[in-house]
Amino acid sequence: MIVLPENLEVPSTRLEAADRVLYRECEYLNLGSYDQWLALFSEDCLYWAPLAPGQDDAKSHSSLFHENRELMRMRIDRITHEAAHSLAGGIRTSRTAGPAALREIEEESGDWIVERRFQMTERQGERTRLFAGLCTYRLTPGRESFLIREKRVDLIDCDQPHEPLEVFF
Amino acid sequence: MFGEMVRDGAVDGRVYTSREVFAAEIERVFARCWSYVGHLSEIPQPGDYRRVTVAGRPLIFIRHEDGTPRVLLNRCAHRGAAVVGRDCGRARRLRCPYHGWTYATDGALKQLPLPGGYAGDGAPRRGDPAWSLKSYPVETHRDFAFVRLEEPQKPLPLAEFLGPAGEALDLMADRSPTGRLSVAGGRLAILLRCNWKVYLENLHDGLHPPHVHESSISAARAAAAGGEPREEIRWVAANGQPLAAFGELEVRCHPHGHSDMSGFRKEADGRDAGYREALEEAWGGGRADRALTRNLHNACFYPGASAHPQYMQMRRLTPLAPNRTLVESWTLKAEGAPESHFLRNVRYANTIHSPSSLVKPDDAEAYRRVQQGLEGSPGPVSQHRSDENPGPDTSTALSEEYVRSQYLAWQSYMED
Ligand code: FES
Ligand SMILES: [Fe+2]
């Protein structure tokens, strides 16, 4: 259940809806259900993994990932392509998330800013890797549920060298 | 003995896998060549420093108080502790964290605690060069700094070592009407499970894209189907051009193993108001035009660096083990050039040089497969591919001429 800031009350149905989106976001990736995963995002969405700790600008500074919906789609098409040689040995991932906390509800947009810690273990070929960090979501409220407008992933070792990073965290 | 491993357009597979060959390469190739150590803009003020590893040595790239760039061994003259622990910073003096020996920014020993306590002839004394941080020769080309760690039999000045390959660095500096560049936008770094030479042998390989990059080409084509594709998609899709088009790309092989290739992924960069004029004013018409239109892709400064002037990318390769290589890349920002160029170049770096690149994993997998295939077997590896109409100094991206040229240099260094 999402942790609320003090002095903020939110109807429990909204909280449950946000919780469901966050649960699915993680689980669809674990299952490799990329189309369903992408459907959780808005048309104007952004997937961003900064290269530097605390990075606040993705235009004049490089990022590990910086993808709009079109580029996210292109990544999905590549990793699910039969000739993706690097994935020929298969890839299995398991993400676990810590408790999510609602940081704020933006006044102007009504967007929810939610954070949670995550760990991901990735098994690819004979290699197993660990990733950990903070995910920050911007959730846009719709009539019934939320769409993800931005997912930001701050890896604790974002500024270190990595072997190729192929799937989303 | 190493020289014999290269013969008749083929090399012995062990040049990629043997620990002995690897150790010799570090000492004979990497330590004796000019190695790219950094750009002067990374250490703008006296005392600014960066840690760098070249040829297995821990180094400090630092601006001395007189303004000159220096490269020091990050190894305390007392008991050997690495004096500098941060990746970068600014310091007036470098103080060893172990027993407090303190050095100036040129490496001179300035202070040692209990100076009377070091007895005997040859004991450490302040200012004694024998007890300073070891310092290496540094030379720059248009503010790109190179270091040489060991003296070869026939030492060459940097300008002669680079020769015509230096053009790629000139093209970058000439994109600024003041000639001033700065490293900006962070460092991207990717680890590869292959020998360093496998990486260099791919730089102008026009035969591999349709096979290796099928998955990203197909994804980019699907993305481009909607109309005018955004540039990230275009850059990925460029690998899908027909083989004949790769056969049009001119590859030049320079002395000492360097090479470059022209024509791949071309941008029209002369259209911003006032920019071309500013460059013409600074450099004259011909040179300004070259800076804007000449596109050298993956220009290689053998053995350890590569540049892509059009997108202002500089890369350094660091061999970590026979089957491990680190590749780092930086974007350079040209003073007085349109901001839009810089922002595009950052996107280019994200698309092509980030570990998350859609292009890179399949390259990395091909390199890994080469490494896997060669492990433990001494048979020959072919580099025979030629153009149908090879010229005296040029070839195309369908020829392995540049690989053979790399091995000519390799052989001469390894036998030196
Ligand atoms: S090792 Fe540096 S002062 Fe002792
Ligand atoms: Fe490639």
Side-chain angles (χ1 to χ4, degrees):
Chain A
M1 204 52 170
I2 296 177
V3 180
L4 293 180
E6 282 177 40
N7 337 323
L8 190 70
E9 278 187 42
V10 178
S12 63
T13 49
R14 298 302 282 165
L15 273 179
E16 281 160 19
D19 231 7
R20 253 194 312 275
V21 170
L22 293 175
Y23 169 76
R24 287 179 182 155
E25 196 277 325
C26 185
E27 208 42 33
Y28 284 150
L29 284 178
N30 286 340
L31 296 169
S33 306
Y34 296 112
D35 289 335
Q36 282 161 293
W37 177 77
L38 191 60
L40 297 171
F41 287 78
S42 67
E43 282 304 314
D44 61 349
C45 65
L46 178 68
Y47 178 89
W48 182 25
L51 175 64
Q55 186 179 332
D56 54 12
D57 166 33
K59 288 205 156 71
S60 60
H61 195 287
S62 274
S63 301
L64 285 177
F65 291 71
H66 190 255
E67 299 180 0
N68 66 1
R69 198 183 171 95
E70 207 178 1
L71 297 179
M72 289 157 80
R73 178 76 252 170
M74 182 156 80
R75 175 175 300 279
I76 293 170
D77 286 349
R78 185 209 154 247
I79 57 188
T80 53
H81 195 280
E82 55 181 8
H85 307 297
S86 60
L87 299 167
I91 185 164
R92 284 171 254 158
T93 56
S94 174
R95 295 160 192 74
T96 49
L102 177 61
R103 287 291 165 228
E104 63 163 320
I105 299 181
E106 259 187 15
E107 244 175 69
E108 213 169 293
S109 61
D111 286 354
W112 289 28
I113 310 298
V114 179
E115 288 177 355
R116 66 179 179 189
R117 296 264 152 204
F118 85 104
Q119 290 203 2
M120 172 173 121
T121 310
E122 177 200 78
R123 167 86 185 176
Q124 183 182 356
E126 63 248 16
R127 180 194 65 200
T128 301
R129 287 195 290 186
L130 286 175
F131 299 97
L134 181 71
C135 290
T136 308
Y137 297 87
R138 171 182 286 275
L139 304 177
T140 295
R143 189 119 44 93
E144 259 147 46
S145 183
F146 292 85
L147 284 172
I148 304 169
R149 223 163 117 196
E150 181 178 335
K151 179 180 179 184
R152 170 179 171 140
V153 183
D154 285 276
L155 290 188
I156 56 169
D157 55 355
C158 58
D159 52 357
Q160 297 303 305
H162 291 280
E163 289 190 28
L165 304 169
E166 301 188 53
V167 297
F168 302 97
F169 300 114
Chain B
M1 65 181 256
F2 295 118
E4 289 158 22
M5 300 177 102
V6 182
R7 224 181 311 158
D8 306 330
V11 298
D12 189 303
R14 283 172 301 190
V15 304
Y16 303 95
T17 56
S18 147
R19 302 210 147 263
E20 219 188 321
V21 170
F22 183 78
E25 287 175 334
I26 295 296
E27 293 313 311
R28 298 182 190 191
V29 184
F30 282 87
R32 289 180 191 166
C33 283
W34 287 105
S35 295
Y36 178 62
V37 72
H39 189 265
L40 292 188
S41 66
E42 294 177 271
I43 48 167
Q45 299 293 328
D48 285 347
Y49 67 81
R50 268 180 183 275
R51 279 197 311 178
V52 184
T53 301
V54 177
R57 284 121 168 121
L59 304 176
I60 313 165
F61 176 46
I62 189 166
R63 180 86 69 160
H64 185 39
E65 37 190 46
D66 69 0
T68 56
R70 304 296 176 101
V71 173
L72 310 172
L73 188 63
N74 190 11
R75 174 197 195 279
C76 183
H78 179 216
R79 295 240 293 267
V83 174
V84 164
R86 292 173 198 268
D87 287 340
C88 61
R90 181 177 298 171
R92 219 176 60 80
R93 292 269 186 268
L94 304 172
R95 188 166 166 274
C96 178
Y98 200 179
H99 313 97
W101 286 31
T102 302
Y103 305 89
T105 47
D106 62 354
L109 179 61
K110 285 292 185 192
Q111 247 163 33
L112 61 174
L114 301 174
Y118 295 85
D121 284 348
R125 274 180 305 108
R126 250 182 252 170
D128 184 342
W131 301 99
S132 295
L133 296 181
K134 192 171 163 56
S135 166
Y136 300 99
V138 181
E139 286 193 28
T140 60
H141 184 93
R142 307 293 297 269
D143 291 348
F144 293 90
F146 291 74
V147 66
R148 193 176 56 211
L149 301 168
E150 299 290 340
E151 188 103 329
Q153 299 254 6
K154 285 185 237 96
L156 296 174
L158 176 65
E160 227 173 288
F161 171 76
L162 291 175
E167 182 191 358
L169 302 178
D170 294 325
L171 289 173
M172 291 206 269
D174 284 356
R175 281 186 165 243
S176 162
T178 61
R180 272 200 286 276
L181 308 179
S182 58
V183 166
R187 173 203 68 160
L188 288 161
I190 187 163
L191 285 165
L192 300 168
R193 293 191 179 220
C194 67
N195 186 269
W196 62 277
K197 299 187 290 303
V198 175
Y199 174 80
L200 290 187
E201 288 159 22
N202 179 257
L203 286 181
H204 316 305
D205 186 327
L207 194 60
H208 84 286
H211 309 286
V212 163
H213 296 302
E214 188 184 341
S215 67
S216 58
I217 293 167
S218 154
R221 282 201 181 130
E228 183 58 26
R230 52 185 291 149
E231 49 207 348
E232 286 93 334
I233 297 169
R234 225 171 2 94
W235 293 327
V236 176
N239 277 321
Q241 66 183 21
L243 275 187
F246 284 102
E248 306 272 291
L249 305 180
E250 180 197 330
V251 174
R252 296 189 305 176
C253 301
H254 304 301
H256 312 302
H258 314 318
S259 58
D260 52 43
M261 170 171 103
S262 11
F264 189 59
R265 290 200 190 110
K266 213 158 164 47
E267 305 283 336
D269 272 350
R271 292 181 296 198
D272 306 78
Y275 178 43
R276 178 182 279 274
E277 290 72 16
L279 292 184
E280 281 171 356
E281 174 117 349
W283 311 121
R287 201 165 140 189
D289 190 62
R290 257 198 313 282
L292 288 170
T293 59
R294 185 148 162 72
N295 173 25
L296 296 182
H297 184 78
N298 288 347
C300 168
F301 313 103
Y302 189 84
S306 163
H308 194 172
Q310 180 179 230
Y311 299 105
M312 301 293 275
Q313 302 293 306
M314 188 70 183
R315 272 181 291 178
R316 179 173 61 220
L317 165 164
T318 306
L320 304 174
N323 57 358
R324 289 282 188 288
T325 301
L326 168 68
V327 179
E328 300 166 279
S329 70
W330 296 267
T331 300
L332 287 133
K333 185 174 181 175
E335 185 176 87
E339 182 72 4
S340 61
H341 287 199
F342 171 61
L343 301 180
R344 177 200 66 197
N345 297 340
V346 168
R347 288 196 297 278
Y348 183 84
N350 290 349
T351 309
I352 303 299
H353 294 152
S354 167
S356 81
S357 160
L358 294 190
V359 175
K360 198 68 39 139
D362 287 320
D363 279 322
E365 175 66 8
Y367 308 159
R368 196 181 72 92
R369 296 275 194 96
V370 168
Q371 200 65 34
Q372 225 174 24
L374 292 173
E375 216 60 67
S377 62
V381 175
S382 159
Q383 295 152 356
H384 293 89
R385 205 169 68 231
S386 281
D387 289 305
E388 278 172 42
N389 309 301
D393 302 312
T394 63
S395 57
T396 79
L398 294 182
S399 159
E400 282 162 339
E401 179 66 31
Y402 70 98
V403 180
R404 296 190 288 275
S405 153
Q406 289 172 2
Y407 276 99
L408 275 180
W410 186 89
Q411 237 176 340
S412 78
Y413 292 127
M414 292 293 273
E415 283 169 350
D416 191 6

